[in-house]
Amino acid sequence: QVQLVESGGGLVQAGGSLRLSCAASGRTFSRNAMGWFRQAPGKDRAVVAAVSWHGGITYYADSVKGRATISRDNAKNTVYLQMNSLKPDDTAVYYCAASKRDWSLDEYDYWGQGTQVTVSS
C-alpha cells in the first residue's frame, strides 16, 4: 500500500520559515515526479512546486518563487519543501503528491493526507 506522509507543518509568524517533509512508503518514487500542492479555505488546490525524478527540473508557482525550494532524497524516498519569508497568504493545507510520470505538473496519482501551515501576521 502506497503512503505519502507529510510532516513539518504548523503555526509560524510572518517572515518565518518552515521545512515540510514527505516520506513515501509502499513503493519507490525515485523515477517519478514529486510535487507539493496547497489548498486554502475557499480555494482550489494548486501546485506550489514540483521536481522531476532526478531533481534536475523544478517548477515553482509565481506566488512562492524565490521563497521556496523543493528537493528530494531518492535514497530516503523523501521530498522536501523549504519555505522562507512566509506570508499569511501561504496559509493552507499542504499536500505531497507523486506522479507515475518522470515529470508532470498536473498528473499526480498518489496523495498524502495533508499538513496544515498557518502563518500569522
Side-chain angles (χ1 to χ4, degrees):
Q1 181 182 357
V2 174
Q3 278 193 312
L4 301 177
V5 179
E6 302 99 335
S7 60
L11 175 64
V12 63
Q13 287 189 329
S17 299
L18 280 177
R19 188 194 195 204
L20 305 181
S21 299
C22 172
S25 62
R27 61 161 283 180
T28 180
F29 289 103
S30 61
R31 295 289 182 177
N32 303 94
M34 301 287 290
W36 285 96
F37 294 72
R38 69 185 181 186
Q39 186 168 22
K43 295 186 178 180
D44 293 335
R45 188 165 59 187
V47 61
V48 176
V51 60
S52 62
W53 71 273
H54 50 71
I57 302 173
T58 56
Y59 166 85
Y60 296 96
D62 287 343
S63 57
V64 302
K65 202 170 289 183
R67 300 188 297 119
T69 302
I70 188 169
S71 60
R72 64 189 299 163
D73 185 337
N74 286 339
K76 295 181 178 180
N77 223 17
T78 300
V79 64
Y80 307 95
L81 182 68
Q82 176 71 41
M83 293 278 294
N84 301 321
S85 302
L86 283 160
K87 306 174 182 180
D89 284 349
D90 294 318
T91 296
V93 177
Y94 284 70
Y95 298 90
C96 169
S99 175
K100 290 182 179 179
R101 297 172 175 263
D102 56 9
W103 171 247
S104 180
L105 290 180
D106 56 5
E107 294 187 39
Y108 282 80
D109 307 280
Y110 305 96
W111 293 86
Q113 82 288 351
T115 185
Q116 177 70 46
V117 172
T118 302
V119 183
S120 63
S121 57

